[in-house]
Amino acid sequence: MTGIAERIAAVRHRVEQSARAAGRAPSEVHLLAVSKTVSSQTVRDAYACGLRDFGENYVQELSRKAADLTDLPDIAWHMIGHLQKNKARHVVRSVAAVHAVHSPELARELGRRAAASEGPAAWGLGWQGRPNRLRLPVLVEVNVGGEEQKAGCVPAALGALLDAIEQEPALELAGLMTVPPYTEDPVRARPFFDQLTELRARYGGPARLPELSMGMTHDLEVAIAAGSTIVRVGTAIFGSRTVI
Ligand SMILES: *Cc1c(COP(=O)(O)O)cnc(C)c1O
């Protein structure tokens, strides 16, 4: 685990510096460690360095790590990847939040499964100081770049999707999330981040959509300048992923 503590400290420093540079309080921006492909032991090491929120892209991998680490009482798992409807029932039992809801059908299925779920649900975005045992927080992934191959709801379908989520008593609408098109120079992602911020303003503002999940290793400074409240960081914490 060479250097994981230093890498986490460096990421925290980047988050704090860019929040201050944008005239924002560093406490407004939360760090979600993206642990896809890393081992349960490495997640344990990151937890020992103070991290609590971990994002995973695949249901099976998330479930396996959650099962490995049940002795860490306040660890929070976030499903950040594309979720298929038929996997919804597997995540509602183990996640704190679902970050990439893309369709009313998925929202309805999550709502149905969340309402029927019993037992030790771990729902809630703990950093907001409002742990919530009754409703599962969900964010809507918006495809701001309009890329055909990319997941997420197109801006024109956002209003109906937000309404569908609010019709589910077991879901809590927590905000918007996006992954902009990749650009070599992160500054060029700024218009996409601004677009998510504008969509939030247009669809009810922070009162209805408290969280804006945007910014990764490569572009977190730009995302924070545009108003991000959650940055999802993998590589800068865990090193480059070996592609399998
Ligand atoms: C992998 C991933 C991240 C983390 O990306 P890094 O560039 O490694 O920081 C963030 N968000 C999503 C949705 C991802 O799939």
Side-chain angles (χ1 to χ4, degrees), residues 141-153:
E141 180 174 12
V142 186
N143 181 355
V144 287
E147 294 168 286
E148 238 164 63
Q149 75 284 10
K150 198 157 265 173
C153 139

Side-chain angles (χ1 to χ4, degrees), residues 230-244:
I230 302 174
V231 289
R232 309 176 309 269
V233 179
T235 309
I237 294 175
F238 298 111
S240 355
R241 291 177 287 273
T242 28
V243 182
I244 336 158

Side-chain angles (χ1 to χ4, degrees), residues 34 36 57 80-81 141 177-179 215-218 232-236 239 241:
V34 177
K36 63 186 177 211
N57 291 57
I80 64 169
E141 180 174 12
M177 175 266 204
T178 199
V179 182
M216 324 200 305
T217 291
H218 171 68
R232 309 176 309 269
V233 179
T235 309
R241 291 177 287 273

Side-chain angles (χ1 to χ4, degrees), residues 18-64:
S18 33
R20 290 214 174 85
R24 306 178 57 201
S27 60
E28 282 176 31
V29 186
H30 304 285
L31 176 58
L32 176 53
V34 177
S35 50
K36 63 186 177 211
T37 78
V38 313
S39 70
S40 299
Q41 180 56 48
T42 303
V43 174
R44 188 181 288 282
D45 296 340
Y47 178 97
C49 295
L51 292 182
R52 291 295 177 269
D53 293 278
F54 295 90
E56 290 283 341
N57 291 57
Y58 302 101
V59 174
Q60 227 182 339
E61 188 178 350
L62 187 156
S63 307
R64 179 170 52 76

